[in-house]
Amino acid sequence: MITSNPFAELSAFIAPGVMQAYVVLMILLVIGGTLLDVKHKKSAQYFFEKGKSLKKLAKREVGGAEKMSIAVSTLANEVLASGEFENPDRRKSHLLMMYGFVTFVVTTAILIFGVEGETSSFVPLLWHLGALMVCIGGYWFWFKIRVDVRSEGHQWYDVHLSDLFIVSLLLTTTLALVWSLLGSMLIFALFIAAATTLFGTVYWSKLAHMFFKPAAAFQKKVAKADGSMDKLPELPELTDPIVKERYPDIPTYMGETPPYMGLGIKREAPTHY
């Protein structure tokens, strides 16, 4: 079952051209929703104007080769490895959802556009695996990480507009797996409804932020490299003898080794609700 194209049998009821047109429509909805989001939030204008203001504060010129290195570093750490998450469970959950989602979407397009020809059994396997990865990471996030009654007071059924993306994503992949297993047209209709919601509500969901976060991370790293420091004050090295001489009371309130002042708020899990 998992090595056969789930859309092949469907072609007896729905013309392949209709399924392919639907995929193209979803791509256009994502592009349109993202552009509307950029226009509404003025994200492109913000990055452009911030870049110009930071350039005036730069202490050195960052060359093309160095910018390319920073871009590669941003892609590897912030995008591919989700390095912005300090919580290891949240990071693992995000990686499962991200790679599962990309695998699921790409293989869906391959299966639908190749529905009239021969399709390798490896592609349907990846389709099911991608959906399963999203479900594992998503439900782990929803019931364990997002819902932390003990420390944050959330309930699993507290659903808000900000949850539109994760809810529609989980419904899409869950219903896809159930439809593949049962072959029910009702389940397929619900699957399409969930997928349409997922890709058609980019303007209101968090899907568009996947394009902004890498840009923000890249700009922040360039600002650090050129010395503009993202308009933040440059912090002195507290262990520097000159700084110690100028501020002799540092050990009094920061200890003898300021950069290693202990766990702070990470000393214990938040359990004070």
Side-chain angles (χ1 to χ4, degrees):
M1 175 80 65
I2 64 174
T3 57
S4 60
N5 187 344
F7 299 96
E9 294 182 10
L10 188 65
S11 61
F13 305 96
I14 302 176
V18 174
M19 291 190 281
Q20 293 163 7
Y22 175 81
V23 172
V24 174
L25 176 61
M26 293 304 102
I27 294 173
L28 293 176
L29 285 176
V30 171
I31 295 173
T34 302
L35 292 177
L36 285 175
D37 189 75
V38 168
K39 182 179 179 181
H40 173 69
K41 295 178 180 176
K42 299 181 178 180
S43 305
Q45 180 182 346
Y46 167 78
F47 284 120
F48 177 73
E49 293 180 352
K50 185 179 180 181
K52 286 179 62 178
S53 63
L54 290 177
K55 195 171 183 179
K56 295 177 181 178
L57 301 174
K59 297 179 179 178
R60 59 180 290 264
E61 183 73 24
V62 179
E66 188 174 0
K67 283 186 178 179
M68 180 60 69
S69 176
I70 292 173
V72 172
S73 172
T74 302
L75 177 65
N77 296 323
E78 273 68 27
V79 179
L80 299 180
S82 300
E84 75 272 19
F85 294 107
E86 290 191 15
N87 184 328
D89 287 343
R90 180 68 184 91
R91 187 178 186 182
K92 294 171 187 174
S93 168
H94 180 81
L95 288 172
L96 280 169
M97 286 190 287
M98 179 179 70
Y99 285 110
F101 176 68
V102 171
T103 302
F104 177 74
V105 169
V106 171
T107 52
T108 296
I110 293 174
L111 290 173
I112 288 178
F113 279 91
V115 73
E116 294 179 295
E118 290 293 328
T119 303
S120 169
S121 60
F122 185 63
V123 179
L125 181 62
L126 281 179
W127 185 82
H128 287 87
L129 180 61
L132 185 60
M133 287 172 65
V134 172
C135 289
I136 293 173
Y139 286 117
W140 182 14
F141 167 75
W142 187 265
F143 289 106
K144 178 62 172 65
I145 301 171
R146 175 188 176 275
V147 181
D148 191 342
V149 177
R150 188 169 71 100
S151 62
E152 297 183 12
H154 294 310
Q155 298 288 351
W156 70 269
Y157 49 80
D158 289 340
V159 182
H160 307 281
L161 183 62
S162 58
D163 300 314
L164 182 60
F165 172 68
I166 181 65
V167 171
S168 58
L169 175 62
L170 283 175
L171 284 175
T172 298
T173 51
T174 301
L175 290 168
L177 291 173
V178 175
W179 165 64
S180 175
L181 180 65
L182 302 180
S184 167
M185 290 303 292
L186 174 61
I187 300 299
F188 175 76
L190 294 174
F191 162 50
I192 293 300
T196 305
T197 302
L198 173 63
F199 296 112
T201 59
V202 172
Y203 179 73
W204 299 276
S205 76
K206 294 178 66 177
L207 184 60
H209 88 296
M210 70 171 63
F211 305 109
F212 307 141
K213 288 179 70 176
F218 172 75
Q219 189 177 67
K220 186 176 181 179
K221 288 186 176 184
V222 171
K224 185 176 181 179
D226 66 17
S228 58
M229 297 299 294
D230 206 18
K231 295 185 179 180
L232 296 173
E234 188 173 350
L235 297 177
E237 180 58 58
L238 299 181
T239 55
D240 190 316
I242 297 177
V243 176
K244 284 187 174 182
E245 183 178 353
R246 185 175 180 182
Y247 305 104
D249 57 339
I250 286 179
T252 304
Y253 54 87
M254 300 187 73
E256 293 293 337
T257 54
Y260 309 99
M261 292 183 290
L263 296 175
I265 62 173
K266 297 181 181 179
R267 190 176 301 278
E268 61 174 319
T271 58
H272 307 298
Y273 281 84

